Amino acid sequence: MTQATAADPIVTEIIRNGFIATTEEMKTNLMRTAYNMIIYEALDFTVGLFDPDGNTISIGIGLPMFIRGMSETIKAKIRHFGKDGLEPGDVLLTNDAYTTGSHLNHMTFSVPIFADGELIGFAACMAHWQDIGGTLDGMTRDIYSEGLQMPIVKAWRRGVPNEEILSIIRMNVRMPERAMGDLKAQVAAVRTGEKRFLELVRKYGKATVADAIASIFDQSDALARASVARIPDGTYEAESFMDDDGVELGQRIPIRVSVTVAGERMTVDLTNVSEQVKGFYNSGETAGRSAAQVAFKCITSGLDLPINDGTFRSLEVILPSGKVVSAERPAPMRWWMTYPMTIVDTIFKALAPAVPTRVIAGHHADLVIAMINGRHPRDNGFYVYLGGLIGGGWGAKYNEDGMSATVAINDGDTHNGPSEQVEAKYPLIVERYALRQDSGGAGKQRGGLGTEQVVRALGDIMFNAQIDRVDCRPWGLFGGLSGHGNEVGLERDGEPVRYPTGKVLAQHLKKGDVYTLRSGGGGGYGNPLDRKLEDVERDVAQGYVGAEAARELYGAVLDPATGRADRVASAELRARMRRAGLPHDKPFARDDDGPCGCARCLVWPSPDRTAEAVNHAVAAAGLGGFRCC
């Protein structure tokens, strides 16, 4: 239970806001000094302050999935060095995937904070490095092929750079000047946190700040417990699927969760989530626990700040080792972030019957990224570009349509890369970036729309897409229909090819070739035949829903000249559709159509592999089927 503290409430509120302001300043300093777009534009990082035991005091969100990872990484550093082995001026570093829970690209720096010789806390920063060595193209099968593994080390000792460690980093990355620039930016961010933490201590005293932290934890705990207590007791279960692991294509990966509510406590059981997989979609235990915590935070106390460990005292997570979100060495983890998104969604799905007003339908649940590398025609300089982050559709709520063109749930404040920046820095032209009509799942409340980005290469590039949830579409709730899934397409020499999978790896594109990324929409909420006709009219007028879909999915008979719905005809059509059990849901893309033998498109079934054009397309993609678009 929550323990009362003696902290003065007014001083505590000032200190609380001081911690929030500090992590925001850490974010700002990192963004202003980082060298790579993935940090200063996309905001693929997280900063935070922690108590002397490594518990989270405040996180400045870039990635909510690091709600657990940074804390556990600091605790691992404490275990490694011991508190007596830490000194003022030390800068601790690791990117160990099985400690952070993520991929090797996430370098995590932290500094111990001392006041009068006493360890009083930590400041930390995790940020994504564009390159960390390892293979660039194709599928990895173990962690050793994914790049430099940095164990827990001191990159600075008592304020002095450890040149041996820094030289190891320089030698193992392809663009050392950019890597070292990001390294220094991260160190500046954590030292900013240290400085502001000490200012609070000097102003209010160590004891007062410590009491304030305990009070913040207690208050967050009380809010979360009260919220859980309003959920009916019981055990709630749900199941979803990922497309595949990128190795055994088309073999779905099960995601099964169980949520038990008992009084003020909630238990999320991930025992029946898939075992770790052969492809690079695994993540460490902290990612699995973070997925449960993100869902818990959204449902119980989404607006309570700062984000801190007090919130999660009433949450228990059951997660055996060896699962896809608690993988063991040497499982590959390059694309660690994908499966946890769907775990968050599946927890919402499980709790939907208990708290229908607090959850959303399924969302597109993928970053929809293409990894691009090559040499710039301008100067022959090597570059790596993380393309995409185009945003997609989120699920609808009981009283609101889903959000459109929004980055997936576990990436929080992450932004897309502006097209102007992409075109200025890389040999690429963004020819189209638009919403996808009809991609949102139909419902009384419509799912959000996905997007489409069409990019033309201005020089030779290597293209890798690692996208999931192409086949397994975002589901609807309470009669809402599934949204469209994610998609990948290429165009070579003017000939388009669409793929039944998002795993399109190690593809060489020449100058003039095109790649297309399409993000999925969100699932709908409630029966689409209950949607207000004026809402359908507005959707069609804005281009969100086509006239044909308005009739087939919503039962709206529209006048093509005015766009207005005929109320009488629409009521009759809706009545007929209800009697016939329409509209039908299509939760899996492979159930849409049968194969036709067209060489322009690939399909899930493998009908005929005799045509030379088909064989070429299949071999180029590493797949085994084709279909017409």
Side-chain angles (χ1 to χ4, degrees), residues 249 490 492 497 499 503-508 599 602 609 611-626:
L249 295 177
L490 298 180
R492 289 188 171 96
V497 179
Y499 297 91
K503 285 82 172 179
V504 183
L505 303 170
Q507 298 297 295
H508 175 241
L602 303 175
R609 303 185 184 182
E612 182 179 352
V614 174
N615 283 334
H616 177 76
V618 170
L623 300 171
F626 59 96

Side-chain angles (χ1 to χ4, degrees), residues 533 550-551 554-559 564-567 569-571 573 576:
L533 288 174
R551 183 183 184 93
Y554 292 97
V557 181
L558 301 180
D559 185 325
R564 299 286 295 171
D566 183 321
R567 265 54 183 173
S570 296
L573 175 58
R576 292 197 300 272

Side-chain angles (χ1 to χ4, degrees), residues 50-51 100 188 200 209 398 472 598:
F50 305 83
D51 73 11
T100 68
L200 287 172
V209 171
Y398 79 102
C472 302
C598 170

Side-chain angles (χ1 to χ4, degrees), residues 267-305:
T267 300
V268 175
D269 189 346
L270 302 179
T271 300
N272 292 317
V273 168
S274 167
E275 302 296 317
Q276 64 189 58
V277 294
K278 297 176 181 177
F280 52 31
Y281 293 92
N282 301 289
S283 54
E285 180 181 350
T286 58
R289 295 187 179 279
S290 291
Q293 289 189 345
V294 168
F296 181 83
K297 176 71 174 172
C298 291
I299 288 171
T300 61
S301 53
L303 299 180
D304 179 40
L305 293 175

Side-chain angles (χ1 to χ4, degrees), residues 424-496:
K425 295 179 180 295
Y426 306 106
L428 302 166
I429 290 290
V430 180
E431 296 188 341
R432 176 179 171 82
Y433 187 11
L435 295 175
R436 292 176 65 192
Q437 187 180 72
D438 293 331
S439 57
K444 181 179 181 181
Q445 305 295 340
R446 173 184 46 75
L449 271 62
T451 63
E452 178 183 73
Q453 185 185 64
V454 179
V455 181
R456 188 174 299 274
L458 300 182
D460 286 4
I461 66 173
M462 288 299 295
F463 173 91
N464 294 268
Q466 304 89 350
I467 297 167
D468 206 276
R469 298 292 295 276
V470 174
D471 176 42
C472 302
R473 291 172 164 169
W475 54 81
L477 292 177
F478 304 106
L481 303 188
S482 301
H484 284 191
N486 305 303
E487 293 182 12
V488 179
L490 298 180
E491 181 181 301
R492 289 188 171 96
D493 300 320
E495 286 296 314

Side-chain angles (χ1 to χ4, degrees), residues 243-251 501 503 590 604 621-624:
D243 292 348
D244 54 56
D245 68 355
V247 174
E248 297 175 338
L249 295 177
Q251 184 170 314
T501 173
K503 285 82 172 179
R590 71 174 75 173
W604 288 106
L623 300 171

Side-chain angles (χ1 to χ4, degrees), residues 287-606:
R289 295 187 179 279
S290 291
Q293 289 189 345
V294 168
F296 181 83
K297 176 71 174 172
C298 291
I299 288 171
T300 61
S301 53
L303 299 180
D304 179 40
L305 293 175
I307 297 171
N308 65 81
D309 273 347
T311 298
F312 308 110
R313 289 174 178 170
S314 57
L315 172 68
E316 179 184 359
V317 182
I318 300 173
L319 178 57
S321 61
K323 299 295 180 177
V324 73
V325 286
S326 59
E328 298 177 321
R329 194 180 298 274
M333 297 173 67
R334 172 173 283 179
W335 230 243
W336 73 283
M337 72 292 280
T338 300
Y339 287 13
M341 301 183 206
T342 294
I343 289 176
V344 174
D345 265 4
T346 310
I347 293 171
F348 292 158
K349 185 179 183 181
L351 286 169
V355 283
T357 62
R358 295 200 214 175
V359 298
I360 62 173
H363 80 310
H364 67 289
D366 197 286
L367 295 184
V368 194
I369 288 173
M371 293 295 294
I372 309 293
N373 66 81
R375 294 197 172 273
H376 204 299
R378 182 175 56 213
D379 58 6
N380 201 40
F382 179 78
Y383 67 90
V384 176
Y385 167 55
L386 194 149
L389 281 173
I390 58 177
W394 280 43
K397 299 188 290 187
Y398 79 102
N399 63 346
E400 187 177 322
D401 291 343
M403 295 180 291
S404 300
T406 302
V407 174
I409 194 166
N410 72 348
D411 268 50
D413 290 346
T414 302
H415 298 175
N416 64 335
S419 299
E420 295 81 3
Q421 285 269 25
V422 173
E423 294 174 349
K425 295 179 180 295
Y426 306 106
L428 302 166
I429 290 290
V430 180
E431 296 188 341
R432 176 179 171 82
Y433 187 11
L435 295 175
R436 292 176 65 192
Q437 187 180 72
D438 293 331
S439 57
K444 181 179 181 181
Q445 305 295 340
R446 173 184 46 75
L449 271 62
T451 63
E452 178 183 73
Q453 185 185 64
V454 179
V455 181
R456 188 174 299 274
L458 300 182
D460 286 4
I461 66 173
M462 288 299 295
F463 173 91
N464 294 268
Q466 304 89 350
I467 297 167
D468 206 276
R469 298 292 295 276
V470 174
D471 176 42
C472 302
R473 291 172 164 169
W475 54 81
L477 292 177
F478 304 106
L481 303 188
S482 301
H484 284 191
N486 305 303
E487 293 182 12
V488 179
L490 298 180
E491 181 181 301
R492 289 188 171 96
D493 300 320
E495 286 296 314
V497 179
R498 288 176 63 190
Y499 297 91
T501 173
K503 285 82 172 179
V504 183
L505 303 170
Q507 298 297 295
H508 175 241
L509 300 183
K510 304 188 301 295
K511 180 178 180 179
D513 288 346
V514 173
Y515 71 82
T516 299
L517 304 177
R518 299 182 184 92
S519 60
Y525 192 111
N527 192 323
L529 300 181
D530 293 330
R531 187 166 177 80
K532 295 177 181 178
L533 288 174
E534 52 266 36
D535 290 342
V536 179
E537 292 169 343
R538 184 168 55 252
D539 283 344
V540 173
Q542 293 176 329
Y544 297 163
V545 174
E548 182 179 354
R551 183 183 184 93
E552 293 184 356
L553 300 179
Y554 292 97
V557 181
L558 301 180
D559 185 325
T562 66
R564 299 286 295 171
D566 183 321
R567 265 54 183 173
V568 174
S570 296
E572 293 174 350
L573 175 58
R574 286 181 163 187
R576 292 197 300 272
M577 292 176 68
R578 290 182 195 277
R579 289 194 294 270
L582 299 173
H584 292 310
D585 192 23
K586 296 180 179 179
F588 299 104
R590 71 174 75 173
D591 297 336
D592 267 0
D593 304 295
C596 77
C598 170
R600 290 160 58 93
C601 300
L602 303 175
V603 298
W604 288 106
S606 301

